[in-house]
Amino acid sequence: MKVRVLGSCAGGGLPQWNCGGANSVRARAGDPAVPAQTQPSLAVSADGERWSLLNASPDIRDQLAHFSALHPREGTRDVPLDTVVLTSAELDHTIGLLVLREALSYRVLSTPWVRQHMLDHNAAWRLLERAWGTTGLDADTKLDRDGILEARFFPVAPKVPGYLKHVAKPHAETTVGVRITDHRSGARLAFVPGLKTLDSATLAELAAADCRFVDGTFFTEDELRELRPGAVSATAMGHAPITGPDGTLATLAELSGRTLYIHMNNTNPILDTSSAETARVTRTGVEIARDGMEFEL
Ligand code: MLT
Ligand code: MN
């Protein structure tokens, strides 16, 4: 299985347009230690020819422009894109679908909860209705025509996106991780960009994968509060911090195979490649996803 990191940051990216924080200022100035990063998405492929996306970020237009494997065949509108898998209805995971609205030669796949709430509460998403399939939890769904890659959603602690919070209640299908399996090679990838708590079922799912991309939004529980008194904690925002008593790093560092943090918020010191926090993470063997990273499982 081939994997490409299309975007590694959380919603807003780096620099975030309205942010004057240190990471954004340095990224905007072109500081090589803090390279600009786009919003979160992965591309996966069984053969390097046909691809599926895990989430569709607001930056998808540029992400595809910089990835020749997903360019249309010359003289045609044939784009080798099979399926766009959604792990939630969060805007930073889904807005890219509206960018890809000119042709629906691909399929969208989400849980029934995500499809229903997006279609019911924003008419613009209905442009995609006929291409949008669903699969429930813990069921395998083929991503490509040959059925080599399969996706399986597994539940994590639910977080209702801010724009739906007055109309929706949390449900087991609201926020999921996705397991991608390559049936030819047996390779297994897990992708969990939103993770409020690392419970035992989620940990077992991550441990069984050869490679996992995990929510790295915040380095500490109080990261936002330290910058802006009164701001919510990491966990209250739906993101387990990397460090501290409920930090994910110590547990993830024990897993075999590759572990990469993804969906970093612009406040996170691991976006500074020269920081002590980056060194602390990478010393454990856990990696930090960066835009354009590519590897094979
Ligand atoms: C999140 O990851 O928690 C959301 O994307 C935050 C948001 O933009 O509402
Ligand atoms: Mn997000």
Side-chain angles (χ1 to χ4, degrees), residues 7 17 173 230 248 259 272:
W17 73 278
E173 292 178 359
T248 55
T259 303
D272 174 358

Side-chain angles (χ1 to χ4, degrees), residues 27-280:
R28 210 172 270 124
D31 183 336
V34 190
Q37 307 289 328
T38 62
Q39 298 169 80
S41 179
L42 297 182
V44 295
S45 174
D47 55 10
E49 301 289 331
R50 309 230 23 118
W51 293 79
S52 288
L53 304 186
L54 309 186
N55 293 337
S57 97
D59 295 317
I60 199 161
R61 185 178 177 283
D62 287 338
Q63 291 170 342
L64 296 186
H66 289 108
F67 187 38
S68 60
L70 269 165
H71 289 174
R73 211 155 41 85
E74 220 171 301
T76 76
R77 287 194 163 189
D78 287 350
V79 178
L81 174 61
D82 288 321
T83 306
V84 179
V85 180
L86 304 179
T87 60
S88 74
E90 293 283 357
L91 293 175
D92 55 333
H93 297 170
T94 55
I95 281 183
L97 287 176
L98 296 178
V99 178
L100 305 185
R101 71 190 177 281
E102 284 87 358
L104 296 179
S105 53
Y106 61 92
R107 204 163 56 110
V108 181
L109 182 70
S110 73
T111 64
W113 191 100
V114 166
R115 183 181 192 275
Q116 187 205 320
H117 285 80
M118 289 176 70
L119 295 181
D120 283 359
H121 298 290
N122 189 333
W125 299 113
R126 291 187 205 146
L127 287 169
L128 303 152
E129 194 164 6
R130 68 181 169 80
W132 197 324
T134 61
T135 187
L137 299 172
D138 302 318
D140 289 314
T141 302
K142 293 180 188 346
L143 291 184
D144 51 286
R145 290 167 202 168
D146 301 327
I148 299 172
L149 293 187
E150 278 188 354
R152 188 181 178 97
F153 291 133
F154 55 91
V156 297
K159 183 204 167 192
V160 174
Y163 74 98
L164 289 173
K165 78 174 178 227
H166 299 299
V167 292
K169 291 192 171 53
H171 181 277
E173 292 178 359
T174 306
T175 315
V176 295
V178 62
R179 175 205 301 182
I180 307 292
T181 310
D182 180 323
H183 282 291
R184 229 181 13 191
S185 68
R188 185 155 149 182
L189 174 80
F191 176 57
V192 190
L195 183 66
K196 186 174 184 174
T197 50
L198 186 47
D199 57 70
S200 57
T202 306
L203 181 57
E205 184 64 48
L206 296 178
D210 302 297
C211 172
R212 57 210 69 89
F213 285 84
V214 181
D215 184 342
T217 310
F218 297 112
F219 196 74
T220 59
E221 176 73 351
D222 292 327
E223 192 164 313
L224 290 182
R225 285 197 280 217
E226 276 163 16
L227 293 167
R228 227 175 339 113
V232 293
S233 69
T235 311
M237 204 177 173
H239 302 286
I242 291 174
T243 57
D246 296 317
T248 55
L249 180 62
T251 309
L252 293 176
E254 298 297 318
L255 303 183
S256 58
R258 286 181 84 159
T259 303
L260 299 97
Y261 279 121
I262 194 163
H263 191 278
M264 278 70 73
N265 190 55
N266 59 68
T267 50
N268 195 322
I270 67 173
L271 290 174
D272 174 358
T273 56
S274 65
S275 70
E277 291 86 351
T278 293
R280 180 167 162 198

